[in-house]
């Protein structure tokens, strides 16, 4: 499926696209609350998973890497503080970044407003246990 760039920038359009594939009454979405905010899985198929991540003001995810998947992040609300390998940058609504497998990365929100990104995971294994936490504000490192 080809999704126009404008659709990626509009969270409600993504929800509508997912509903076209499966009626709402049969739709069971995975979501989880985390110390930094929450995520919701919008679509999952073999080889890819699409999530929306919401990061609370002042919060950040662990510095981490994944062995079997890469990620592509698109900012849809707020300002994202991103670490990707040795690169540190801020992304605003409509900007995006690709994180290759085995690359150390972190997402944070140093602003006073909610940060929301669309995360597209690509790989042969997309389980939540494919993570190595290198640094974590919430004491979850191994």
């Amino acid at each position: 499926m080809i999704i126009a760039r404008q659709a990626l920038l509009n969270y409600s359009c993504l929800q509508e696209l997912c509903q076209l594939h499966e009626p709402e009454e049969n739709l069971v979405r995975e979501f989880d609350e985390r110390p930094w905010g929450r995520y919701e899985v919008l679509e999952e198929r073999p080889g890819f998973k699409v999530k929306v991540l919401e990061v609370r003001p002042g919060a950040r995810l662990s510095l981490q890497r994944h062995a079997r998947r890469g990620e592509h992040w698109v900012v849809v609300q707020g300002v994202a503080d991103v670490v990707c390998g040795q690169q540190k940058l801020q992304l605003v609504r409509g900007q995006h970044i690709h994180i290759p497998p085995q690359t150390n990365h972190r997402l944070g929100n140093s602003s006073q407003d909610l940060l929301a990104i669309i995360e597209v995971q690509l790989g042969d294994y997309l389980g939540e246990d494919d993570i190595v936490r290198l640094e974590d504000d919430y004491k979850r490192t191994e």
Side-chain angles (χ1 to χ4, degrees), residues 17-18 31 46 50 53 67 84 87 96 121:
L17 285 171
C18 291
F31 69 93
V50 180
L53 280 68
C84 182
Q87 187 179 18
H96 56 92
Q121 300 177 355

Side-chain angles (χ1 to χ4, degrees), residues 28-32 39-42 44 49 51 128:
V28 178
R29 289 207 180 114
E30 176 188 346
F31 69 93
D32 197 11
Y39 75 82
E40 180 179 357
V41 176
L42 302 177
E44 182 172 8
K49 184 186 293 190
K51 292 181 176 180
E128 290 298 316

Side-chain angles (χ1 to χ4, degrees), residues 1-94:
M1 174 194 313
I2 298 174
I3 300 175
R5 183 168 185 249
Q6 285 184 331
L8 279 176
L9 300 178
N10 187 329
Y11 174 65
S12 63
C13 285
L14 273 174
Q15 285 183 314
E16 290 173 22
L17 285 171
C18 291
Q19 290 172 4
L20 289 175
H21 291 290
E22 195 168 346
E24 187 68 35
E25 61 270 9
N26 295 327
L27 189 60
V28 178
R29 289 207 180 114
E30 176 188 346
F31 69 93
D32 197 11
E33 297 288 330
R34 296 291 171 103
W36 46 262
R38 66 183 301 272
Y39 75 82
E40 180 179 357
V41 176
L42 302 177
E43 182 81 23
E44 182 172 8
R45 296 191 193 175
F48 78 91
K49 184 186 293 190
V50 180
K51 292 181 176 180
V52 61
L53 280 68
E54 295 177 347
V55 183
R56 288 193 300 272
R60 64 183 182 170
L61 286 69
S62 56
L63 179 64
Q64 58 189 257
R65 71 174 172 263
H66 309 288
R68 298 175 63 183
R69 73 172 185 250
E71 297 177 344
H72 194 84
W73 296 343
V74 179
V75 177
V76 294
Q77 179 181 342
V79 179
D81 302 318
V82 175
V83 173
C84 182
Q86 298 301 312
Q87 187 179 18
K88 293 182 181 182
L89 62 153
Q90 285 193 322
L91 301 177
V92 297
R93 181 183 167 111

Side-chain angles (χ1 to χ4, degrees), residues 64-70 99-105 130 132:
Q64 58 189 257
R65 71 174 172 263
H66 309 288
R68 298 175 63 183
R69 73 172 185 250
I99 297 120
Q102 298 287 346
T103 301
N104 295 351
H105 61 281
D130 178 20
V132 175

